[in-house]
Amino acid sequence: MTSVSIIGGSGYGGGELARLLSAHPHLELKQVTSRSHLGEYIYQVHPNLRKRTQLKFCDPAALELVDILFLALPHGQAQNNIEQYAKLAPKIIDLSADFRLRDLALYEKWYGDSHAAPEWLGKFVYGLPELHRTELTSANYASGVGCNATASNLALLPLVKAELIELSAPVLIEIKVGSSESGSEGNTGSHHAARANVIRTFSAFGHRHTAEVIQEMGLKEVSLTLTAVDLVRGVLATAHAKVKQGITTKDLWKAYRAAAIENPFVRVVKEQRGIYRVPEPKILAGSNYADLGFELDESNGHVVSICAIDNLMKGAAGSAVQCMNLMMGWEETSGLEFSGLHPI
Amino acid sequence: MTSVSIIGGSGYGGGELARLLSAHPHLELKQVTSRSHLGEYIYQVHPNLRKRTQLKFCDPAALELVDILFLALPHGQAQNNIEQYAKLAPKIIDLSADFRLRDLALYEKWYGDSHAAPEWLGKFVYGLPELHRTELTSANYASGVGCNATASNLALLPLVKAELIELSAPVLIEIKVGSSESGSEGNTGSHHAARANVIRTFSAFGHRHTAEVIQEMGLKEVSLTLTAVDLVRGVLATAHAKVKQGITTKDLWKAYRAAAIENPFVRVVKEQRGIYRVPEPKILAGSNYADLGFELDESNGHVVSICAIDNLMKGAAGSAVQCMNLMMGWEETSGLEFSGLHPI
Amino acid sequence: MTSVSIIGGSGYGGGELARLLSAHPHLELKQVTSRSHLGEYIYQVHPNLRKRTQLKFCDPAALELVDILFLALPHGQAQNNIEQYAKLAPKIIDLSADFRLRDLALYEKWYGDSHAAPEWLGKFVYGLPELHRTELTSANYASGVGCNATASNLALLPLVKAELIELSAPVLIEIKVGSSESGSEGNTGSHHAARANVIRTFSAFGHRHTAEVIQEMGLKEVSLTLTAVDLVRGVLATAHAKVKQGITTKDLWKAYRAAAIENPFVRVVKEQRGIYRVPEPKILAGSNYADLGFELDESNGHVVSICAIDNLMKGAAGSAVQCMNLMMGWEETSGLEFSGLHPI
Amino acid sequence: MTSVSIIGGSGYGGGELARLLSAHPHLELKQVTSRSHLGEYIYQVHPNLRKRTQLKFCDPAALELVDILFLALPHGQAQNNIEQYAKLAPKIIDLSADFRLRDLALYEKWYGDSHAAPEWLGKFVYGLPELHRTELTSANYASGVGCNATASNLALLPLVKAELIELSAPVLIEIKVGSSESGSEGNTGSHHAARANVIRTFSAFGHRHTAEVIQEMGLKEVSLTLTAVDLVRGVLATAHAKVKQGITTKDLWKAYRAAAIENPFVRVVKEQRGIYRVPEPKILAGSNYADLGFELDESNGHVVSICAIDNLMKGAAGSAVQCMNLMMGWEETSGLEFSGLHPI
């Protein structure tokens, strides 16, 4: 069995990793760290893991050598200790924003801060398999992905890959998100009485995840608007772009179908009947799927491309495990077989 | 006391009218019709009215003459009987879509049907007081407003009125809506187990309410995208437009403040601290306010203008009562004083 | 105009008082204190009050003399300063638990603590008008009520008053509550991602509000079980008791109808058709109504009595304002006319 | 591979079976019937199954012979065709209420109707493995279980098995349920705008599932009270009983721990710290666990026993698959390994 540990296991990303890794067919989950919950059973913090693991949270200082190390720390921490972590394991996958951007200037612009380990930026492969599958198969280090960036990048992927949209026209992406995006700690605004029932546009533009869309899609004029809604898990990105002259719905179908064929976790949802005609995040809770849909207004070239994901899965831990599968030469879908639920 | 009746009182719009009119200081609510609930107490269908009114739903055929008549029928019905209704009352306010559009061609394009009483289109004033206050003071007939159109029009009002945006650039409006928009009857998609937790983009473009934005704002390239979220009452419109060269945040502040001063139910919400920094529909449930906010990216002229309303109030019954107040020469806010709740 | 101030205005109870008192026909709201939000506009914390009041939160030390003083402090604080508050106003209404219990021993047993001003316990009238209307008309001091205790007491009121139940048989009350019960500060368990979708029985028995049921209903064997559910405002108490031999459904109807006739805010909800057949808290949000219903199993005498209220209104601020109306000789319903909404 | 088919696959129970059976390691899912969705892909109705099965709903008349047949029809239908179904497969598991009760008189009393195949009542084993594991290993026919009955029976199991409670004292069970209990068709009361935010006690006593508690627990005085809350999947049963003289918390711990050791899907949740101290259904969505907890008031012998389950899993399809595993001699947990999610 391959050994794996998680640094930072008490947050939602760390908990989702613990769920996936403890059930993964090729792995033994050895250690999970948490300073704030030191000594507690993991299942006391992540109650879905009761009867699934008897591990307790351990001290980061007690970490042993492993084959694979996952980092699930708050943004800004991994870059300070990456040298030390690299001594613990030959392969590292980091869920934070620390190693997502290749370009130091881009990082400094969007994060408003200098980077503690800029020489490591180039060593990490951006951890979205749908964009970097080949590089990941030979990578030792994979970054995490921003959940909103992932929904945006996958909404745009078929359009950009098949060169269907005008890159000069601004691309506007409206994103609706659930409350698990704000982390497990919560804040006054996430108190249930304040957060329930909301439709709250908390970022009109300038969200940090925009940088990942710029980097990965090669777009210059792209804007993300984020609105919190009443849901725990899930992101829906609704991207508005302009197709090139003459592009038809048929061309789009071809591009979207190709994405679904090439990528085991991409599906196209575009039905004429029934309740579930378009991508919806609710049925994806716990699954690693990205559901894509689109509508083209042929009268003016306005294309609306939609992507639904579970922010903690395809938008975080799920893509990270998928990266690991590729890096280790395992079946890409190993340990990610859960289909999601209906109804939910 | 002025007498008033409601035709079509068992739906959500009719119920909201019954709530407002039965508590209005200048009115006596005489009759409320419902074919499907004939003979039942109104409070059996609208349980919030128990101990507030002892009226029973009556047959439309039994309607008596009144001073004011409200129509709250499903779209397409009022136009067939408008001549008959006009004999019952000198003043009529219709909540449906039948008399919102001035231009028959616009109606036929967006509703895909001919109109049964085209000669009446010109007799109705579009029932949004923030746009037609003066005309309403001398009107006998006021139309209803589309809830999504109202959130859109009010989001755009300060920008268009002060001529701050490029009318040639496309305007894109992303709208998030609660479940009461789909009416009181429901459908398979509105079953709680299917509708709870959704983020469902059910109209990428082409929604009928677009016609009201075109008509009222003088915009040609405008697109509404609608997404259902988990909420009962409320609409949030997030409009994306391009300001003219040189327009600054200060100019926008001026325009939005002016709207709030001119209109008793318009408020500007743009805070630097606290939980409630932007307009949110949840705190508006039952109130007639329209809360406006905005953000301007001065680097590229991208303005995001936000409007939150309660779809059953400012987006339907509330605006209708406000119209009545103007038509009758009463205080514009009469019977609409409820402030909304916090928390909710 | 009568002058009124609120000590402790930033919590949910204080905010609800500010909403009610600023719109009350006989009152001028003079001051509202908050140490944590000193100098902020009240509407920045309670956004529903924007355009309704221009007051800012002031320092408790700056309080001026008024006719009526409302205390909306966390439990345990009012008792330490009651002498000082009594110098500020001839009439005081306290929302906290400090002066609800007449018997010092009962207080010490359920609150596990000594009382800082035991000599004041006898000066306060328990602030539920449905139980103490006459005493309140001549009272200078009224206590608050526990929201869960209020739902329980009103569920039992018709049964106890008409002497229909066996007082020797244990009474079991199952209570379901919304998240606003836990206050505006929130805690890790009230974080939306943790609190949404819950059915969480957080108190099997021994809840402090039990003491108020014991005191007011004269019951010895009574147990309250509390379960948190996904809702912001609202409490439903479902009380299980045993009726005396021979008591029929007809007897119960008589007792419940009497309660509705005697009390302007009590309603009986027991319908054979439609959606809303039983009391439900959701339609009571913002209203001061207590809706009562019941079912009797005549085969074994098991009676289920149900009471729905808005915990921030009838269960807190609403009853407090109702007490004030009685204490001042005003119409009991003054300022409490909001009917509640449907749908919501 | 063993072959399996589902009769009645478009409802929630049938959909959950399709999810479980199509991913089960020992099975090939051959046919799924639906009259109303004939010819549609299963994933058009159950969108979580897209990319998981390419089966289309088929006509019941086209059913082929299989090793195992699951019936997921509305109550009352299976009993009319059981002879015919028995010819299709040697082993049948029925999710409906048709074959749950051994005693025809009990059936007629609670279902108010005669039974179409009374001679089959004795052939079916009641399909809750925690109660009938041994019989199931040699059974050909297993009944379904009522979701509310299952939460009730499992809440009582440790108490009854260890003979800790007074069987003469009445047992009262308060049950809170999500909206998926009402089936996939919905009704006017399940319309989202009506059903969201509810706390609705829709059955004070007399619910049909009571019969299963009487039969399985040997209780005579037992009452189920059901309250709908805002959740899709999940049931929480809170049972109130009286322990025998002298029984202590320690005795209860022993009984509950024994249940968790004997049953792979039973867990005891009783924590002193953290957010998740008691059983909660939300984290069980999609899992087959039954989480149990309890509190004993040693001063009066009042025990509160709590059981949380997913009504579509342990309360329906999950228990049915668990029965199948036992009937086929497979690992009891096969195909039921999903742990559930946190947060959700």
Side-chain angles (χ1 to χ4, degrees):
Chain A
M1 294 288 274
T2 302
S3 62
V4 62
S5 291
I6 303 168
I7 301 185
S10 61
Y12 290 155
E16 197 71 349
L17 281 176
R19 174 176 79 83
L20 295 171
L21 300 178
S22 64
H24 195 287
H26 301 317
L27 291 175
E28 183 198 13
L29 179 58
K30 278 190 68 172
Q31 293 179 297
V32 181
T33 77
S34 169
R35 282 204 175 88
S36 53
H37 291 276
L38 198 63
E40 291 179 51
Y41 285 105
I42 292 178
Y43 65 69
Q44 291 180 297
V45 173
H46 305 298
N48 56 327
L49 299 184
R50 183 181 290 266
K51 266 200 175 180
R52 307 305 283 241
T53 173
Q54 288 301 315
L55 282 181
K56 291 180 176 180
F57 288 115
C58 74
D59 194 307
L63 280 168
E64 299 166 18
L65 300 183
V66 282
D67 297 314
I68 309 167
L69 193 60
F70 281 85
L71 311 180
L73 297 162
H75 298 318
Q77 297 191 6
Q79 57 186 272
N80 288 309
N81 299 296
I82 186 64
E83 294 286 354
Q84 170 197 339
Y85 297 149
K87 290 173 189 155
L88 290 171
K91 296 200 185 279
I92 292 180
I93 300 167
D94 174 36
L95 262 65
S96 84
D98 283 13
F99 302 103
R100 294 178 191 164
L101 302 179
R102 291 292 77 71
D103 179 356
L104 181 61
L106 193 65
Y107 180 88
E108 289 174 348
K109 177 183 172 190
W110 287 90
Y111 287 82
D113 208 356
S114 61
H115 196 284
E119 69 281 10
W120 279 82
L121 289 178
K123 298 182 186 174
F124 275 79
V125 175
Y126 185 75
L128 194 62
E130 287 73 15
L131 301 180
H132 298 280
R133 184 172 286 110
T134 308
E135 296 147 87
L136 285 164
T137 58
S138 58
N140 288 322
Y141 304 109
S143 79
V145 291
C147 46
N148 304 309
T150 298
S152 301
N153 282 330
L154 293 176
L156 295 173
L157 176 61
L159 300 172
V160 169
K161 193 167 181 188
E163 299 183 359
L164 300 175
I165 56 169
E166 296 284 4
L167 295 181
S168 62
V171 172
L172 195 142
I173 307 178
E174 271 266 350
I175 300 173
K176 296 90 184 171
V177 307
S179 58
S180 60
E181 273 212 1
S182 65
S184 61
E185 291 301 311
N187 53 56
T188 53
S190 79
H191 180 35
H192 181 274
R195 178 68 174 71
N197 298 313
V198 298
I199 311 178
R200 183 180 290 165
T201 300
F202 64 94
S203 178
F205 47 78
H207 190 279
R208 288 172 166 186
H209 288 184
T210 311
E212 295 170 52
V213 183
I214 292 171
Q215 170 179 286
E216 297 296 324
M217 289 293 117
L219 295 171
K220 283 203 176 149
E221 270 213 79
V222 60
S223 174
L224 275 61
T225 303
L226 288 105
T227 301
V229 299
D230 196 343
L231 180 71
V232 173
R233 279 185 185 232
V235 191
L236 190 85
T238 309
H240 299 267
K242 192 109 184 170
V243 294
K244 292 177 181 167
Q245 190 85 25
I247 297 298
T248 64
T249 295
K250 202 175 162 185
D251 299 318
L252 291 170
W253 262 116
K254 200 174 151 189
Y256 281 76
R257 275 205 198 98
I261 290 166
E262 288 160 22
N263 297 288
F265 291 113
V266 170
R267 306 188 293 195
V268 183
V269 180
K270 189 168 164 53
E271 300 287 340
Q272 298 303 313
R273 58 193 287 182
I275 297 171
Y276 299 95
R277 308 179 187 201
V278 291
E280 286 190 31
K282 66 179 272 189
I283 60 153
L284 301 179
S287 99
N288 199 45
Y289 288 113
D291 281 355
L292 305 188
F294 67 90
E295 289 292 334
L296 173 64
D297 186 343
E298 295 193 348
S299 75
N300 60 15
H302 175 196
V303 62
V304 180
S305 182
I306 300 175
C307 175
I309 60 170
D310 176 344
N311 54 303
L312 295 177
M313 284 294 296
K314 191 89 202 89
S319 281
V321 169
Q322 193 182 348
C323 285
M324 174 190 69
N325 289 339
L326 291 166
M327 290 160 72
M328 300 300 290
W330 298 330
E331 185 72 27
E332 189 170 339
T333 57
S334 275
L336 298 168
E337 294 90 351
F338 180 61
S339 66
L341 299 170
H342 170 251
I344 189 165
Chain B
M1 295 288 275
T2 303
S3 63
V4 62
S5 291
I6 303 167
I7 301 185
S10 61
Y12 289 156
E16 197 71 348
L17 280 176
R19 175 176 79 83
L20 295 171
L21 300 178
S22 64
H24 195 287
H26 302 316
L27 292 175
E28 184 198 12
L29 180 58
K30 279 190 69 171
Q31 293 179 299
V32 181
T33 77
S34 169
R35 281 205 175 86
S36 53
H37 292 275
L38 199 62
E40 291 179 52
Y41 286 105
I42 292 178
Y43 66 70
Q44 291 180 296
V45 173
H46 305 298
N48 56 328
L49 300 183
R50 184 181 290 265
K51 266 201 174 179
R52 307 304 285 240
T53 173
Q54 287 302 315
L55 282 181
K56 291 179 176 181
F57 288 114
C58 74
D59 195 306
L63 279 168
E64 299 167 16
L65 300 183
V66 282
D67 299 312
I68 309 166
L69 194 60
F70 281 85
L71 311 180
L73 297 162
H75 299 318
Q77 297 191 7
Q79 58 185 272
N80 287 311
N81 299 297
I82 186 63
E83 294 286 355
Q84 170 197 339
Y85 296 149
K87 290 174 190 155
L88 289 171
K91 297 202 184 277
I92 293 180
I93 300 166
D94 174 36
L95 262 65
S96 85
D98 283 13
F99 302 105
R100 294 179 192 164
L101 303 179
R102 294 289 77 73
D103 180 356
L104 181 60
L106 193 66
Y107 179 88
E108 290 175 347
K109 176 183 172 190
W110 287 90
Y111 287 83
D113 208 355
S114 61
H115 196 283
E119 68 282 11
W120 279 82
L121 290 178
K123 298 183 186 174
F124 276 78
V125 175
Y126 185 75
L128 193 62
E130 288 73 15
L131 301 180
H132 299 281
R133 185 171 286 111
T134 308
E135 296 147 88
L136 285 165
T137 58
S138 58
N140 288 322
Y141 304 110
S143 79
V145 291
C147 46
N148 303 309
T150 298
S152 300
N153 282 330
L154 293 177
L156 294 173
L157 176 61
L159 300 171
V160 169
K161 192 167 182 188
E163 300 184 356
L164 300 176
I165 57 170
E166 297 283 3
L167 294 181
S168 63
V171 172
L172 195 142
I173 307 179
E174 271 267 350
I175 299 173
K176 294 92 184 171
V177 307
S179 58
S180 60
E181 273 211 2
S182 65
S184 60
E185 292 302 310
N187 53 57
T188 54
S190 79
H191 179 36
H192 182 275
R195 179 67 173 71
N197 299 313
V198 297
I199 311 179
R200 183 180 289 165
T201 298
F202 64 94
S203 177
F205 47 79
H207 190 278
R208 288 172 165 185
H209 288 184
T210 311
E212 295 170 53
V213 183
I214 293 171
Q215 170 179 285
E216 297 297 324
M217 290 293 115
L219 295 172
K220 283 202 175 151
E221 269 213 82
V222 59
S223 174
L224 274 61
T225 303
L226 288 103
T227 301
V229 298
D230 195 341
L231 180 72
V232 173
R233 277 186 187 233
V235 191
L236 190 86
T238 308
H240 300 267
K242 192 109 183 170
V243 293
K244 292 177 181 167
Q245 190 86 24
I247 297 299
T248 65
T249 295
K250 205 174 159 183
D251 299 320
L252 291 171
W253 262 116
K254 202 174 149 190
Y256 281 76
R257 275 205 198 97
I261 289 166
E262 289 160 22
N263 297 290
F265 291 113
V266 170
R267 305 188 293 195
V268 183
V269 179
K270 191 168 164 50
E271 299 287 340
Q272 298 304 313
R273 57 192 288 181
I275 298 172
Y276 298 96
R277 309 179 186 200
V278 291
E280 286 190 30
K282 65 179 273 189
I283 61 153
L284 302 178
S287 100
N288 199 44
Y289 287 113
D291 282 354
L292 305 188
F294 66 91
E295 289 290 334
L296 173 64
D297 187 344
E298 295 193 348
S299 75
N300 59 13
H302 175 197
V303 61
V304 179
S305 182
I306 301 174
C307 175
I309 59 169
D310 175 346
N311 54 303
L312 295 177
M313 285 294 298
K314 192 88 204 87
S319 281
V321 170
Q322 192 182 348
C323 286
M324 174 190 69
N325 288 339
L326 290 166
M327 290 160 72
M328 300 300 288
W330 298 330
E331 185 72 26
E332 189 169 340
T333 56
S334 276
L336 298 168
E337 293 90 351
F338 179 60
S339 65
L341 298 171
H342 170 251
I344 189 164
Chain C
M1 293 287 273
T2 302
S3 62
V4 61
S5 290
I6 302 168
I7 301 186
S10 61
Y12 290 155
E16 197 71 349
L17 280 177
R19 174 176 79 83
L20 295 171
L21 299 178
S22 64
H24 195 286
H26 302 316
L27 292 175
E28 182 198 14
L29 179 57
K30 279 190 69 171
Q31 293 179 298
V32 181
T33 77
S34 169
R35 282 205 175 86
S36 53
H37 292 276
L38 198 63
E40 291 180 51
Y41 285 106
I42 291 178
Y43 65 70
Q44 290 180 297
V45 173
H46 304 298
N48 55 327
L49 300 184
R50 184 181 288 268
K51 265 201 175 181
R52 307 305 284 240
T53 173
Q54 287 301 315
L55 281 181
K56 291 180 175 179
F57 289 114
C58 75
D59 194 306
L63 279 169
E64 298 166 17
L65 299 184
V66 282
D67 298 314
I68 309 167
L69 192 60
F70 281 86
L71 311 181
L73 297 162
H75 298 318
Q77 297 190 7
Q79 58 187 269
N80 288 310
N81 299 296
I82 185 64
E83 293 287 353
Q84 170 197 337
Y85 297 149
K87 290 173 190 155
L88 290 171
K91 295 198 185 281
I92 293 180
I93 299 166
D94 174 36
L95 262 65
S96 84
D98 283 13
F99 302 105
R100 293 178 192 164
L101 303 180
R102 290 294 76 72
D103 180 355
L104 181 60
L106 193 66
Y107 180 87
E108 290 174 347
K109 176 183 172 189
W110 287 90
Y111 286 83
D113 208 356
S114 60
H115 195 285
E119 69 281 12
W120 279 82
L121 290 177
K123 298 183 186 174
F124 276 79
V125 174
Y126 186 75
L128 193 62
E130 287 73 14
L131 300 181
H132 298 281
R133 184 171 287 109
T134 308
E135 295 147 270
L136 285 164
T137 57
S138 58
N140 288 322
Y141 304 110
S143 79
V145 291
C147 45
N148 304 309
T150 298
S152 300
N153 282 330
L154 294 176
L156 295 173
L157 176 61
L159 299 172
V160 169
K161 194 167 180 188
E163 300 184 356
L164 300 175
I165 57 170
E166 296 284 3
L167 295 181
S168 62
V171 172
L172 196 143
I173 307 178
E174 272 266 350
I175 300 173
K176 294 91 184 171
V177 306
S179 57
S180 61
E181 274 211 2
S182 66
S184 61
E185 292 301 312
N187 53 56
T188 53
S190 79
H191 180 35
H192 182 275
R195 179 66 175 72
N197 299 313
V198 297
I199 310 179
R200 183 180 289 165
T201 298
F202 63 95
S203 177
F205 47 78
H207 191 279
R208 288 172 166 185
H209 288 185
T210 310
E212 295 170 52
V213 183
I214 292 171
Q215 169 178 288
E216 297 297 323
M217 289 295 117
L219 295 172
K220 282 201 175 150
E221 270 213 80
V222 59
S223 174
L224 275 62
T225 302
L226 289 104
T227 300
V229 299
D230 196 342
L231 180 71
V232 173
R233 276 184 188 233
V235 191
L236 189 86
T238 308
H240 300 268
K242 192 108 183 171
V243 293
K244 292 178 181 167
Q245 190 85 23
I247 297 299
T248 64
T249 296
K250 203 174 162 185
D251 299 319
L252 291 170
W253 262 116
K254 200 174 151 190
Y256 281 76
R257 276 205 197 98
I261 290 166
E262 290 160 21
N263 298 290
F265 291 112
V266 170
R267 306 188 293 196
V268 183
V269 179
K270 189 167 165 53
E271 300 287 340
Q272 298 303 313
R273 56 193 288 182
I275 297 171
Y276 299 96
R277 307 180 188 200
V278 290
E280 286 191 29
K282 65 180 273 190
I283 60 153
L284 301 179
S287 99
N288 199 45
Y289 287 113
D291 282 355
L292 305 188
F294 68 91
E295 289 292 333
L296 173 64
D297 187 342
E298 295 193 348
S299 75
N300 59 16
H302 176 198
V303 61
V304 180
S305 182
I306 301 175
C307 175
I309 59 170
D310 176 344
N311 54 303
L312 295 177
M313 285 294 296
K314 193 87 202 87
S319 281
V321 169
Q322 193 181 347
C323 285
M324 175 190 69
N325 289 338
L326 290 166
M327 290 159 71
M328 300 299 289
W330 299 329
E331 186 72 27
E332 188 169 341
T333 57
S334 275
L336 298 167
E337 293 89 352
F338 179 61
S339 66
L341 299 171
H342 171 252
I344 188 165
Chain D
M1 293 289 274
T2 302
S3 62
V4 61
S5 291
I6 302 167
I7 301 186
S10 60
Y12 290 155
E16 196 71 348
L17 280 176
R19 175 177 78 83
L20 294 171
L21 299 177
S22 65
H24 195 286
H26 302 317
L27 292 175
E28 183 197 14
L29 180 57
K30 279 191 70 172
Q31 292 180 300
V32 181
T33 77
S34 169
R35 282 206 174 85
S36 53
H37 292 275
L38 199 62
E40 291 179 51
Y41 285 106
I42 292 178
Y43 65 70
Q44 291 179 298
V45 173
H46 305 298
N48 56 327
L49 299 184
R50 184 182 288 266
K51 267 202 174 180
R52 307 303 285 239
T53 174
Q54 287 302 315
L55 281 181
K56 291 179 176 180
F57 288 114
C58 74
D59 195 305
L63 278 168
E64 300 166 18
L65 300 184
V66 283
D67 299 311
I68 309 167
L69 193 59
F70 281 86
L71 311 181
L73 296 162
H75 299 317
Q77 297 192 6
Q79 58 186 269
N80 287 311
N81 299 296
I82 186 65
E83 294 285 353
Q84 169 197 340
Y85 296 149
K87 290 174 189 154
L88 289 170
K91 295 197 185 282
I92 293 180
I93 300 166
D94 174 36
L95 262 64
S96 84
D98 283 13
F99 302 103
R100 293 179 192 163
L101 302 179
R102 291 293 75 71
D103 180 356
L104 180 61
L106 193 66
Y107 179 88
E108 290 175 347
K109 176 183 171 189
W110 288 90
Y111 287 83
D113 208 355
S114 61
H115 196 283
E119 68 282 11
W120 279 82
L121 289 178
K123 297 183 186 174
F124 275 79
V125 176
Y126 186 75
L128 193 62
E130 287 73 15
L131 300 180
H132 298 281
R133 185 171 286 110
T134 308
E135 295 148 88
L136 285 164
T137 57
S138 59
N140 287 323
Y141 304 110
S143 79
V145 291
C147 45
N148 304 309
T150 298
S152 300
N153 282 331
L154 293 177
L156 294 174
L157 176 61
L159 299 172
V160 169
K161 192 167 180 188
E163 300 184 357
L164 300 175
I165 57 169
E166 297 283 3
L167 294 181
S168 62
V171 173
L172 196 142
I173 307 179
E174 271 267 348
I175 300 173
K176 297 91 186 172
V177 308
S179 58
S180 60
E181 273 211 3
S182 65
S184 61
E185 291 303 309
N187 53 57
T188 54
S190 79
H191 180 35
H192 182 275
R195 179 65 174 72
N197 300 311
V198 298
I199 310 180
R200 183 180 290 165
T201 298
F202 64 94
S203 177
F205 47 78
H207 190 279
R208 287 171 166 186
H209 287 185
T210 310
E212 295 170 52
V213 183
I214 292 171
Q215 170 179 286
E216 296 297 324
M217 290 293 116
L219 296 172
K220 283 202 173 151
E221 270 212 81
V222 59
S223 174
L224 275 61
T225 303
L226 288 104
T227 301
V229 298
D230 195 342
L231 180 71
V232 174
R233 275 184 189 234
V235 190
L236 189 85
T238 308
H240 299 267
K242 191 108 184 173
V243 293
K244 291 178 181 167
Q245 189 85 25
I247 297 298
T248 64
T249 296
K250 204 173 161 185
D251 299 318
L252 292 170
W253 263 116
K254 200 174 150 190
Y256 282 75
R257 275 204 198 99
I261 290 166
E262 288 160 22
N263 297 290
F265 291 113
V266 170
R267 304 188 294 195
V268 183
V269 180
K270 189 168 165 52
E271 300 287 340
Q272 297 303 313
R273 57 193 288 182
I275 297 172
Y276 298 95
R277 307 180 187 200
V278 292
E280 285 189 31
K282 65 180 274 191
I283 60 154
L284 302 179
S287 98
N288 199 45
Y289 287 112
D291 282 354
L292 305 188
F294 67 91
E295 289 291 334
L296 172 64
D297 186 343
E298 295 193 348
S299 76
N300 59 14
H302 175 199
V303 61
V304 180
S305 183
I306 301 174
C307 175
I309 59 170
D310 175 345
N311 55 302
L312 295 176
M313 285 293 298
K314 192 87 203 87
S319 281
V321 169
Q322 191 182 348
C323 285
M324 173 190 70
N325 289 338
L326 291 166
M327 290 160 71
M328 299 300 289
W330 298 330
E331 185 72 26
E332 188 169 340
T333 57
S334 276
L336 297 168
E337 294 90 351
F338 179 60
S339 66
L341 299 171
H342 169 250
I344 188 164

